[in-house]
Amino acid sequence: MSQPPPPPNQPPQQPGFGPPQEPSEPQTPAPPAPATPPTPPAQPPQQPPAGPDLNKAPQPQPGYGYPQAPGTPPPAAPPTPPQGPGYGYPQQQPPAGYGYPAQQPGPYGQPGPYGQPQQPGPYGQQPPYGYAQPTVPMQAQAGQPGGGRKVNAQVAIIVSAVVAIALIVGGGVWYANSSGKDDDKQTTAEGGDTKGGEGDGKEGGSGDGGATTGEAEEKAPAATGSKVLFQVPSPKVPKGVTTISIAGSWLTDSVYAKSGLSEITGYDRKSGTKKWTLDLPGPVCAATPHVTEGNKTAIVHKPAMPSKTDPQACTEVAVVDLAAGSKVWTKTAKSGTMPVSFNNVTIGGGTVAAGSTSGGAAWDLATGDERWAPKTSDSCYDAGYGGGAKLVAVRKCGSYDQRQLHIQNVDPKTGDVLAEYKMDEGIEYAAVVSTDPLVVAADVGDSAGDGSGISDFFSIDNKTGKLRARLSAPGDEFAARCDAIYKVENCTGVTVGNDRLYIATEEHDSGGDSYSQTNEVVAFDLATGKQTGQRADAGENYEIFPLRMDGPDVIAYKRPPYDKGGQVVSIDGESFKETILMENPSTEAVRDVESRMSPDYSEIQFGQGGLYMSSVYASDFTSREKEYSVIAFGTE
């Protein structure tokens, strides 16, 4: 099979800046192409790196972050092209394209010229490289060679520099001014209807980092080798539009649901047969990973399909019934006379809450009645919310050069602040990793340095708002990522349970005479901030990513070497013993599709013996006949 032509190797030029525009998702070109993978050196290193110090105590608390003054030009992208994957990757493998390697702007955080922040595409990422995937044999079995390996993290660093010029104003309203005073009055609510039910059960689902409850449900099958259950072709974008968000995927007992261009489709989990299709007027911009026990979830979508002249704003908040394939309700909100364009949405305590730089809003999950609106002022606004077991607001106060984040546990019915932790001034963004126990991630002092958006985790007491512990997680040692700028809940490579934080380390040399790479999942105690000493190894040329908790155990995905299929494993929460739950086919056609679904830049769901991997973008960057937005594997 001939190889596709490489994508452009220069970052796109951004459009000129002007006055704040209504938030929308502009058409962003593809990021730079990965370079040819390096050839292993002729001689092995004398003392290969041994990887991160997994027993190192937390570092002393760094100083305050250094906010940039408005108008400071963003840093230019590094002149050197991104390097290829680690050693052991075949020289003639096609570059990994469809995995969306753009990462949130993370450490920069400056507005563009004239101090007018701009908005990047959905999920805070640039569009994918856009290589198409070959057709996958539907009954391919595990055990045959083929496939490819991922692009290394340097791609994300370069793209981050490009994306950093695109910070959002949103809705034409910017609540932070130069007063620098906190007039938040210890409340995030202002009016609103406080009546309404509790919803229909416990929020959870994929992505929930909440407190550990119950026993593990995922059991190893008699035969762990999987087969391809089904695949979904990537939708074709309209003429004149380069990239459209297809964010959002959910798993219920009977349905795997996935967003398309302007619809959500429910597929039979085993056969891939369409069970229902919910038509939407425009694309899904943001989606919560939480699903209630009654199979409800929440999305933000556009009111119409974007065009070259009208990209549309993300103004519509909706609740979707994943069992019936129907929309329960749709609501909008205004800031003054302007409709709010939302960046994120979540569910907690029977409330749907959506946020952005224009502020937020909250509605009753069951009825759609407005429960409360965040109290806005000239110096504070709710940037976003974390949901699940509780509802947590990330509230920004102060002027741009004196920013302070308030992490608030709020009453889902009224929006009243139950407990609050004020972060150090100068920390611009924070992501909610878990609401119970409460854990947030931040890049303190822009010190992560790798575009991950994380240098430290903060364990906070939900009842008192006091800091329990601060966990140092340097970006050069740990591989978790958070898009704290736009998607407050969007973190990968980390999960929370057993009052511990489980996080992936960065890849490093395996040691010895081989040139293989590997990494680990390690645990931090949320009470002390120290590592517990537990570690689960990925294995030679595998890379392991924690996905979610399963009772007291950790479910993790292992990104494989070029000649094998990926694995899903269960890590015992106490012994850290690994149990293989699934091993995917290693045929070249299957590996070519799986390798494009990078855990950092795709959506991965696992449950009841099924693994579902999906893209968050559809684009017109294609050089092959077939490319896929979903690939599903099963062992039964």
Side-chain angles (χ1 to χ4, degrees), residues 492-517:
T492 60
V494 62
T495 192
V496 172
N498 304 320
D499 206 33
R500 294 169 184 166
L501 180 139
Y502 300 95
I503 183 172
T505 67
E506 287 284 3
E507 275 193 299
H508 54 84
D509 289 346
S510 298
D513 295 333
S514 72
Y515 298 105
S516 62
Q517 297 278 295

Side-chain angles (χ1 to χ4, degrees), residues 492-571:
T492 60
V494 62
T495 192
V496 172
N498 304 320
D499 206 33
R500 294 169 184 166
L501 180 139
Y502 300 95
I503 183 172
T505 67
E506 287 284 3
E507 275 193 299
H508 54 84
D509 289 346
S510 298
D513 295 333
S514 72
Y515 298 105
S516 62
Q517 297 278 295
T518 191
N519 79 323
E520 301 81 25
V521 169
V522 299
F524 283 84
D525 188 307
L526 292 177
T528 66
K530 297 180 180 180
Q531 290 191 36
T532 65
Q534 299 165 307
R535 57 183 283 173
D537 296 317
E540 188 172 298
N541 277 326
Y542 283 89
E543 186 176 10
I544 190 169
F545 295 82
L547 298 177
R548 63 173 177 87
M549 299 302 299
D550 176 30
D553 299 342
V554 180
I555 300 297
Y557 172 74
K558 287 187 176 183
R559 188 173 176 85
Y562 71 90
D563 58 348
K564 296 181 180 180
Q567 295 180 350
V568 177
V569 298
S570 176
I571 304 170

Side-chain angles (χ1 to χ4, degrees), residues 141-142 219-227 568 579-585 606 608-610 633-636:
Q141 301 294 322
K219 307 298 181 183
T224 57
S226 72
K227 64 182 180 181
V568 177
T579 300
I580 296 178
L581 302 179
M582 172 182 289
E583 184 163 13
N584 293 336
F606 178 83
Q608 300 178 24
F633 300 92
T635 56
E636 298 178 357

Side-chain angles (χ1 to χ4, degrees), residues 278-344:
L278 173 61
D279 292 326
L280 300 171
V284 174
C285 309
T288 180
H290 302 300
V291 178
T292 71
E293 287 183 349
N295 292 320
K296 305 296 193 306
T297 193
I299 62 172
V300 175
H301 66 85
K302 295 186 175 185
M305 287 298 292
S307 66
K308 190 173 183 179
T309 58
D310 186 1
Q312 298 291 327
C314 300
T315 56
E316 316 296 302
V317 178
V319 166
V320 175
D321 186 329
L322 296 172
S326 61
K327 187 185 292 186
V328 180
W329 52 257
T330 303
K331 298 293 179 179
T332 60
K334 288 187 176 181
S335 176
T337 60
M338 298 290 293
V340 176
S341 184
F342 294 104
N343 302 122
N344 55 78

